[in-house]
Amino acid sequence: MKGIVFTEFLDLVEEKFGIEMVDKIISESNLESEGAYTSIGTYRFSEMLQLLQSLHKNSGISIDKLLLTYGEHFFSVIDKSYSGLLATYKDPIEMLSSIENHIHVEVKKIYPDAELPEFVVEEKTEDSLILIYKSSRAMHHFGLGLMNKTFEHFNSSATIVLEKIKEDGTEVKFVIKKNPHESREN
């Protein structure tokens, strides 16, 4: 797993819970890296699991909710660092449907050894999308957070239903329906 995922996670933990919590979850975990991450390094997924489990234990927040919040946070990182990539899209459905064939291709150029989940477009219309997420790492709530912020980025909203295909969360169906725009008066 790429280091940027770790560095941004710890930044979020510090922002939401304070530096003491960062120190606590690192010290409570048995990390091969000892919690010293660089954004370009590569680290074991097991370290992320340990950090998440420790944060869950110390905060009382479910791991799914932590991953959702982290996915929403990570979108801002993408927006700041890769705004040119986001600017190539005019619509959230268009962007989400191109994860596998465009966005992940660009990510691989920057991080050639990144292990990315697979997103298969099962069905697509102008206002809806069915995506199948496949990954050995059950981080689908991270993906859900990214999707939520994708719609927000385009001044839009959607109803996103997550259905586990495999109980362990390594294969999940996202059923996405764009909400009709509401007229807003100022």
Side-chain angles (χ1 to χ4, degrees), residues 40-154:
I40 58 170
T42 302
Y43 306 93
R44 294 180 187 272
F45 178 62
S46 62
E47 291 199 20
M48 179 57 72
L49 286 177
Q50 289 179 63
L51 292 169
L52 280 164
Q53 288 166 344
S54 181
L55 184 58
H56 160 66
K57 183 182 90 176
N58 287 290
S59 69
I61 300 170
S62 74
I63 289 177
D64 284 348
K65 177 71 173 153
L66 292 170
L67 283 169
L68 176 75
T69 301
Y70 181 40
E72 290 174 346
H73 165 81
F74 203 81
F75 187 89
S76 67
V77 174
I78 295 167
D79 193 18
K80 279 184 230 153
S81 302
Y82 307 104
S83 58
L85 179 62
L86 296 181
T88 62
Y89 298 99
K90 303 293 177 235
D91 175 81
I93 297 287
E94 175 194 0
M95 184 173 153
L96 292 174
S97 68
S98 70
I99 292 171
E100 195 66 34
N101 297 325
H102 183 234
I103 296 171
H104 280 179
V105 171
E106 296 301 316
V107 171
K108 284 286 199 180
K109 289 177 185 176
I110 300 164
Y111 303 108
D113 58 344
E115 295 178 38
L116 302 170
E118 180 183 3
F119 286 91
V120 178
V121 175
E122 194 170 86
E123 185 181 307
K124 178 185 174 200
T125 69
E126 187 177 310
D127 294 320
S128 68
L129 182 65
I130 298 176
L131 279 178
I132 305 297
Y133 162 96
K134 297 177 183 180
S135 176
S136 60
R137 301 166 175 149
M139 289 186 58
H140 47 277
H141 275 84
F142 178 81
L144 179 59
L146 288 169
M147 290 177 195
N148 288 340
K149 286 298 183 178
T150 298
F151 279 90
E152 192 176 297
H153 175 78
F154 289 100

Side-chain angles (χ1 to χ4, degrees), residues 143-183:
L144 179 59
L146 288 169
M147 290 177 195
N148 288 340
K149 286 298 183 178
T150 298
F151 279 90
E152 192 176 297
H153 175 78
F154 289 100
N155 296 314
S156 186
S157 66
T159 302
I160 303 174
V161 177
L162 184 150
E163 300 171 8
K164 285 186 179 177
I165 295 170
K166 291 188 176 173
E167 195 52 43
D168 65 357
T170 57
E171 196 168 327
V172 172
K173 179 188 285 191
F174 290 100
V175 180
I176 305 162
K177 289 186 175 40
K178 190 192 279 187
N179 295 328
H181 277 82
E182 299 173 13
S183 62

